[in-house]
Amino acid sequence: MTRILFVCLGNICRSPLVEAVAREEFARAGVVAEFASAGTGTYHVGHAADPRTIASAAAHGYDVSAHRARQLDIADFARFDAVLGMDQANLRNIQALCPARYASRTGLLLAYAGVAAPIDVPDPYFGGADGFERVIELARAGVHGLIARCAKDA
Ligand code: 4NP
């Protein structure tokens, strides 16, 4: 069983969307894995996903309605096989918390997306609906790469 934790800043926009995309796309591909998401910040702990996150997920057939934001915890590094940041700032914060023995579990989602993709999933929080569409597009690219990797390891 592979366990993957997706991490952004607030855990109300990017990482819940990626978690929902991963759950759905892995199930469609018949690859078994477990997913969760967390934020490096505390601002939105306990909150539901941003209404724009919920709307764009639903428009593409993904469901984030049960999501509640939580903060990344040091115990997550033992619990998850991979702890993947959405951008390089997330990854720096992840690595600052990560015990040295688990360092190889940390990385960026889009490292799995193929060479043509950007490195960062841009933060859509302060922008418009198009930013959320872009998150879904990049989420699918990263998740399909993860499916290929997990299927190969299985
Ligand atoms: P996320 O987006 O990291 O993709 O969940 C953000 C959500 C909230 C804030 C920043 C980014 N904020 O500053 O409150």
Side-chain angles (χ1 to χ4, degrees), residues 6-22:
F6 300 110
V7 178
C8 62
L9 174 58
N11 193 215
I12 57 169
C13 298
R14 290 167 293 176
S15 60
L17 262 176
V18 173
E19 179 189 351
V21 170

Side-chain angles (χ1 to χ4, degrees), residues 72 74 77 93-106:
L72 177 65
I74 194 162
F77 297 102
N93 289 322
I94 289 166
Q95 289 174 337
L97 187 68
C98 183
R101 67 185 178 284
Y102 296 128
S104 66
R105 298 184 173 191
T106 68

Side-chain angles (χ1 to χ4, degrees), residues 6-146:
F6 300 110
V7 178
C8 62
L9 174 58
N11 193 215
I12 57 169
C13 298
R14 290 167 293 176
S15 60
L17 262 176
V18 173
E19 179 189 351
V21 170
R23 192 162 285 126
E24 178 68 27
E25 299 295 329
F26 270 71
R28 275 185 207 164
V31 179
V32 178
E34 276 183 15
F35 307 98
S37 64
T40 59
T42 55
Y43 329 99
H44 296 285
V45 169
H47 296 184
D50 186 285
R52 298 165 297 171
T53 303
I54 296 171
S56 37
H60 291 276
Y62 305 113
D63 184 10
V64 296
S65 59
H67 177 72
R68 293 296 177 271
R70 73 167 178 90
Q71 190 177 27
L72 177 65
D73 186 274
I74 194 162
D76 287 322
F77 297 102
R79 278 189 209 124
F80 292 92
D81 303 300
V83 179
L84 303 180
M86 299 298 110
D87 64 29
Q88 295 168 85
N90 304 148
L91 182 58
R92 282 193 294 277
N93 289 322
I94 289 166
Q95 289 174 337
L97 187 68
C98 183
R101 67 185 178 284
Y102 296 128
S104 66
R105 298 184 173 191
T106 68
L108 288 168
L109 171 69
L110 294 184
Y112 296 89
V115 289
I119 293 170
D120 291 339
V121 180
D123 186 347
Y125 186 66
F126 294 106
D130 56 330
F132 288 80
E133 287 299 307
R134 180 75 175 138
V135 172
I136 288 189
E137 195 180 305
L138 293 172
R140 284 177 167 155
V143 163
H144 284 125
L146 281 172

